[in-house]
Amino acid sequence: MSHDSTYTTENNEWRLTLVEGPPLRADAQRNRARILDAAEAVFAEFGTRASTEEVARRAGVAIGTVFRHFPSKDDLLAAIMKRLLAQLVEEAGRHDLFAFFTHTVAQAAAKKTAVDLLAGSGVDIRLPDALAHLEEAVGRLLEQAQAAGAVADSVRLPEVMALLASVCQGALHGGWNEQLQARTLAVIFSGLKCD
Amino acid sequence: MSHDSTYTTENNEWRLTLVEGPPLRADAQRNRARILDAAEAVFAEFGTRASTEEVARRAGVAIGTVFRHFPSKDDLLAAIMKRLLAQLVEEAGRHDLFAFFTHTVAQAAAKKTAVDLLAGSGVDIRLPDALAHLEEAVGRLLEQAQAAGAVADSVRLPEVMALLASVCQGALHGGWNEQLQARTLAVIFSGLKCD
Amino acid sequence: MSHDSTYTTENNEWRLTLVEGPPLRADAQRNRARILDAAEAVFAEFGTRASTEEVARRAGVAIGTVFRHFPSKDDLLAAIMKRLLAQLVEEAGRHDLFAFFTHTVAQAAAKKTAVDLLAGSGVDIRLPDALAHLEEAVGRLLEQAQAAGAVADSVRLPEVMALLASVCQGALHGGWNEQLQARTLAVIFSGLKCD
Amino acid sequence: MSHDSTYTTENNEWRLTLVEGPPLRADAQRNRARILDAAEAVFAEFGTRASTEEVARRAGVAIGTVFRHFPSKDDLLAAIMKRLLAQLVEEAGRHDLFAFFTHTVAQAAAKKTAVDLLAGSGVDIRLPDALAHLEEAVGRLLEQAQAAGAVADSVRLPEVMALLASVCQGALHGGWNEQLQARTLAVIFSGLKCD
DNA sequence: TATGAATGAGTATTCATTCAT
DNA sequence: TATGAATGAATACTCATTCAT
């Protein structure tokens, strides 16, 4: 990809370089994605106290590049959360309420950082739009479940969201195994069905 | 405040003393408590990232005093947790399972730091004994509830603990109002009762 | 050595103590010596950066007692040195020049702290009197050696002191084994004899 | 200061650049050197207990810059030592054994920190390679001196190194004047020559 | 006189952020 | 636009010294 040639004279070394013009938008986009992936991995592994420098290292870019794409560390964390919420919305479209619960809880550990951030761990991040989208999606699942008689009519969206958030955090921090997760969700599902 | 009497024999003087524990220990104990209280408040307000200096300032002692009582920041955090767990155990003795759930969740926000630490937020704190005591206490409540027919026999202790931890975190981070808390717990209680 | 008896009543514990009057001067002297010994051991093991607290611990006294006997850490260090110098003067009286050299160098490692302090490692300690005494003693050994024809007449006291100090430090920090020590001293002894 | 020329062909633009090494690397190297110089001066003046802040201040950089170049204080101290050892090896190439001794001892005071570190003053620094190079260089000087009959054949390298180290420390800490230094070395040189 | 709790200045080190190249 | 060197405020922790008991 390099078009350089090198010439040496008495005292100096000269290099002939093909100047390719400004890096393409595509490169920048790729960098942005690599940084986000690296950040998700690093923060999941070491917590949000991990250094931005470590994120840059894992992403294979210089620290300045991280700050060009995300002007502050909080911006970077917010971006991770936004991506998680978008994924959840998308997944809500492919599941019924119970399956969505199960799937989401199972993924909680993998999405450690985002779940923590959702929980508001110190970092000041507000993503009302993204959260509203998720709430809408879950609302639809709840309506469907109630229409099918699988959930009691007395149940409302706020407590479903509250339960979802709670169990995600519980699973994440409690280090639940599959069995414990199943038994815990069973209690909640049973509660949603009974009056 | 002194309860000493003095007796003199041939060569010696004898003194009858009320043993109140080592001297100055009283002051030190007061400082220890003040530091713990200050730390609980500071960490609840700013998260565990808050500085030890801030804790000292709020406790009205010099920084060295904090470190004399708690040789590392983690020791301080562990002490906060231990105190919370002891309180919970004690409260478990005064409630039935449902009341304990409700009471504990309602207090979650007030005990922000401790709940976060229980959740394992980055800080490496292990209090297996204190946790085991709590589990025992909740186990007794569960047995009583099942004996009274208030909870299905299929329910086991691990999921009860998991639900308790989950809902505490949910309540804490979600900023639930009383109504939302009641409705969310209602679902869980209903799930514990139904098969 | 304790003359206490303990009685317990309903709520309180009572102790009957033999009050022995103010601690004897002898106790204080014993403490002073214990502190010096502890300090020598601690500073030899960890260097003069070791904490005064550690010295107190090893001496089995409280930190305040150390500072009562030695108002500052430098005073403590100076006392160690003074003791070493007095020992050296005393040993000079029992050896000829070569034996004194050998003996002193062999002990250098054991007296690590004092040797370091003599070398002036950062700490500001001046003990002109004690040093003068040592110089006098070594001067006498030199005169005897020269009178016996064992050392060249051209040799003067300052370089003998300089060589002694140098080799002590060399031995101390170089971790010499016995053989290396012997061979190194042999060169110096040979230099003192030859013209 | 730029030596670029630009050429344009059909689709591309070519630029002929004088390669001066990686950008900013020049500044960084200058800073590294300034920090090392400052550290040598500061530690020589106040001992290795002097603060890294003081080094930064004297070097005219921010504290973070010192730690970017030398991740720990020990790394900084080790770098100073390495530089001294390299200088000594180089100087060994320009002197005979006696001149090297004299020169090195005369410089001891100027290189206070390094000499102290060589002596192992508390700081944990190991530079086996650099030390081995110096030993090799001194070994060559010894061979030459013995071949020329200026040093007795019975003398071996270890005691020569031991004497060098000892006298450096002696000179450093004893605050020898030129005359004392000459007289002390005279004894040693005489010892090396005689059997 | 001994104790040991309290003080508080000082130290090494980290890390988000800026900016010259 | 990317790089990575520089910045400097912040932080956990240490330790000589003081002083109330």
Side-chain angles (χ1 to χ4, degrees), chain B residues 25 31 61-65 68-69:
Chain B
R25 215 37 77 79
N31 267 347
V61 300
I63 184 66
T65 303
R68 163 170 275 266
H69 285 279

Side-chain angles (χ1 to χ4, degrees), chain D residues 83-135:
Chain D
R83 205 165 65 160
L84 168 75
L85 289 172
Q87 278 170 20
L88 286 183
V89 168
E90 192 247 340
E91 281 159 5
R94 297 202 303 248
H95 293 289
D96 67 22
L97 184 63
F98 300 119
F100 178 67
F101 248 80
T102 307
H103 176 81
T104 302
V105 170
Q107 292 227 316
K111 300 294 179 183
K112 184 178 185 314
T113 320
V115 172
D116 273 344
L117 288 172
L118 257 175
S121 57
V123 187
D124 193 25
I125 284 173
R126 306 281 154 94
L127 293 171
D129 286 358
L131 271 172
H133 290 331
L134 179 61
E135 203 152 339

Side-chain angles (χ1 to χ4, degrees), chain C residues 16-194:
Chain C
L16 188 58
T17 310
L18 170 56
V19 176
E20 292 181 336
L24 306 174
R25 183 86 50 88
D27 273 27
Q29 285 307 322
R30 199 172 327 146
N31 267 350
R32 202 192 124 94
R34 285 172 69 184
I35 291 167
L36 265 185
D37 289 344
E40 202 170 296
V42 167
F43 292 141
E45 187 167 354
F46 303 107
T48 56
R49 287 163 118 116
S51 77
T52 316
E53 195 78 50
E54 177 61 32
V55 171
R57 205 170 304 130
R58 176 111 36 142
V61 301
I63 183 68
T65 304
V66 175
F67 276 89
R68 163 168 285 269
H69 284 281
F70 306 93
S72 79
K73 192 179 183 181
D74 279 7
D75 290 325
L76 179 55
L77 291 168
I80 294 177
M81 263 207 47
K82 210 169 166 182
R83 205 165 65 159
L84 168 75
L85 289 173
Q87 280 172 18
L88 286 182
V89 168
E90 192 247 340
E91 280 159 3
R94 299 200 305 248
H95 293 289
D96 68 20
L97 183 62
F98 299 121
F100 178 67
F101 246 82
T102 307
H103 177 81
T104 303
V105 170
Q107 292 225 318
K111 300 292 179 183
K112 184 179 183 316
T113 319
V115 172
D116 272 344
L117 289 172
L118 258 173
S121 59
V123 187
D124 193 25
I125 285 174
R126 307 279 154 96
L127 292 172
D129 287 359
L131 269 173
H133 290 332
L134 179 61
E135 204 153 339
E136 274 170 39
V138 176
R140 278 192 294 274
L141 295 183
L142 177 59
E143 276 170 32
Q144 290 164 15
Q146 286 174 324
V151 165
D153 285 341
S154 59
V155 172
R156 310 242 175 90
L157 184 54
E159 54 259 32
V160 173
M161 295 300 296
L163 285 164
L164 181 61
S166 298
V167 187
C168 280
Q169 289 187 68
L172 168 55
H173 299 298
W176 301 355
N177 59 27
E178 255 183 69
Q179 203 191 2
L180 179 54
Q181 180 184 307
R183 299 186 62 86
T184 306
L185 283 177
V187 173
I188 288 178
F189 292 168
S190 165
L192 290 170
K193 280 172 209 153
C194 304

Side-chain angles (χ1 to χ4, degrees), chain D residues 22-57:
Chain D
L24 245 192
R25 212 39 76 80
D27 273 33
Q29 285 306 328
R30 199 172 326 151
N31 268 348
R32 201 193 125 94
R34 284 171 69 183
I35 291 167
L36 265 184
D37 290 343
E40 203 170 294
V42 167
F43 292 140
E45 187 167 356
F46 303 106
T48 56
R49 288 159 114 118
S51 78
T52 317
E53 290 271 6
E54 179 60 32
V55 171
R57 194 153 34 240

Side-chain angles (χ1 to χ4, degrees), chain A residues 65-135:
Chain A
T65 304
V66 175
F67 276 89
R68 163 167 286 267
H69 284 280
F70 306 94
S72 79
K73 193 178 181 179
D74 280 6
D75 290 325
L76 178 55
L77 291 168
I80 293 176
M81 265 208 45
K82 209 169 166 183
R83 206 165 65 159
L84 169 75
L85 290 172
Q87 279 171 20
L88 286 183
V89 168
E90 191 249 342
E91 280 158 5
R94 298 202 301 249
H95 293 287
D96 68 21
L97 184 63
F98 300 121
F100 178 66
F101 246 81
T102 306
H103 176 80
T104 302
V105 170
Q107 291 227 315
K111 300 293 179 183
K112 183 177 185 314
T113 319
V115 173
D116 273 344
L117 288 172
L118 257 174
S121 58
V123 188
D124 192 26
I125 286 174
R126 309 279 155 93
L127 292 172
D129 286 359
L131 270 172
H133 288 332
L134 179 61
E135 204 151 338

